Amino acid sequence: MNRNSRSFKAVDIIYILMMVVPICFSIVIKVLTKGASDGISITGADIFFVIDMPIQNLPITESQINSWMVMIAVTGLCLFLTHGITSDKTLIRHHIAEWIVEKVSAMTKNNMGAYFSGFAPFVVSIISLSAFSSLLTLFGLYPPTSDINIVGGWAILVFVLITYYKLKCGPVFYVKTMASPLLLTPLNVISEVATPISMAFRHYGNVLSGSVISVLVAAGLQFLSSKLLGFLPGFLNGIPFLQIGIPAILSIYFDVFSGCLQAYIFAMLTMMYISDGFPAEEYGKRKLKNNN
């Protein structure tokens, strides 16, 4: 396809809209559903409506909507970066896409081994979904990573994969590893169950605590500004001068650096737990025996 053609540019515009429109949609929903609040307001995700289900009702929350918006935006970003890519990679975005693929593939191979080289797309999906979800706070939106239900769902998915690869040598071998040594069987069982719980609470707790600290510091600076600079005449005494700059610096750390760091840590733990739980040596012996 000619990269200067109208059809190529039109598809580019569609992909850009896929990245922009979902975030704007979430902002519009928040503006329409959230009223003005006085003072500090630290709450969980808003519940928009509830769907009646046979066993338990399904609430549709702000974090769920924002998660879907992030997934659509990330999909649009991936399509935009790879649109029209060829072997010559003349566009800058194609070089960016190649760099991402090379780095994630190398990270996956170095941390999980050659057997799990196909896990690179899954790993980059975790990193991008988690990082962009945390970055929603830059737009004043509720980050899905501050919802234990969202992060817990990711942890359960990872736990299913961990258990699947631990069962590669059969349930009998899996039970033997859990009972080795026999006296530590209860601890091994607890450790197995604690894996998804620790992953979920580590990610959720770090992101949520950053949001709470940022709000408390901003509110505290506003209070100090009104007390210390309230003597200023006219409209000047209503301007929170002490809030200028400091909350922005905190946002860079908690929203950008910490959010991306937690995404990286969650991905690294995913790779570590899956690869460490896989009995590669025993699996290789059984596969060799079956082939013979």
Side-chain angles (χ1 to χ4, degrees), residues 1 9 28 38 70 106 128 131 142 154 160-161 170 187 208 214 235 242 247 252 264 271 284-285:
M1 181 183 295
K9 293 179 179 179
V28 170
D38 297 328
V70 169
S128 58
Y142 185 85
W154 301 350
V160 171
L161 290 173
L187 293 179
L208 180 62
S214 297
F235 70 94
L242 296 181
I252 292 175
Y264 176 76
M271 292 186 288
K285 291 179 180 178

Side-chain angles (χ1 to χ4, degrees), residues 79-287:
L79 293 174
F80 177 76
L81 290 177
T82 58
H83 181 216
I85 191 170
T86 57
S87 58
D88 55 359
K89 299 180 290 297
T90 55
L91 298 180
I92 295 178
R93 55 180 163 171
H94 296 161
H95 290 281
I96 295 174
E98 183 185 34
W99 179 83
I100 294 173
V101 171
E102 289 179 350
K103 291 299 180 182
V104 177
S105 298
M107 181 177 67
T108 305
K109 186 175 180 180
N110 292 335
N111 289 282
M112 302 184 74
Y115 181 82
F116 292 97
S117 57
F119 256 72
F122 180 74
V123 172
V124 75
S125 297
I126 291 177
I127 295 177
S128 58
L129 180 58
S130 176
F132 283 105
S133 294
S134 298
L135 292 175
L136 285 183
T137 53
L138 298 177
F139 301 95
L141 297 172
Y142 185 85
T145 43
S146 291
D147 192 333
I148 187 61
N149 299 292
I150 299 295
V151 184
W154 301 350
I156 291 174
L157 174 61
V158 172
F159 179 69
V160 171
L161 290 173
I162 294 171
T163 306
Y164 170 77
Y165 281 99
K166 284 186 175 182
L167 288 170
K168 275 288 189 176
C169 291
V172 176
F173 182 82
Y174 175 70
V175 172
K176 287 182 178 180
T177 56
M178 292 288 291
S180 177
L182 186 61
L183 293 176
L184 296 181
T185 300
L187 293 179
N188 292 335
V189 174
I190 294 174
S191 176
E192 197 79 2
V193 177
T195 296
I197 297 176
S198 64
M199 290 184 68
F201 276 94
R202 179 186 289 109
H203 197 339
Y204 153 78
N206 280 283
V207 175
L208 180 62
S209 62
S211 301
V212 172
I213 291 173
S214 297
V215 171
L216 292 177
V217 170
L221 291 173
Q222 184 180 17
F223 175 79
L224 286 176
S225 182
S226 63
K227 292 299 181 181
L228 298 178
L229 304 176
F231 63 89
L232 295 176
F235 70 94
L236 292 177
N237 61 13
I239 300 177
F241 287 100
L242 296 181
Q243 278 189 325
I244 299 175
I246 298 178
I249 296 174
L250 290 177
S251 178
I252 292 175
Y253 176 78
F254 288 116
D255 298 335
V256 179
F257 175 75
S258 181
C260 294
L261 178 63
Q262 293 306 317
Y264 176 76
I265 292 174
F266 192 90
M268 290 296 294
L269 289 175
T270 298
M271 292 186 288
M272 181 186 70
Y273 284 134
I274 292 176
S275 59
D276 289 350
F278 176 59
E281 184 176 352
E282 182 67 21
Y283 180 74
K285 291 179 180 178
R286 294 195 176 199
K287 191 173 181 179

Side-chain angles (χ1 to χ4, degrees), residues 35-41:
S37 60
D38 297 328
I40 301 176
S41 178

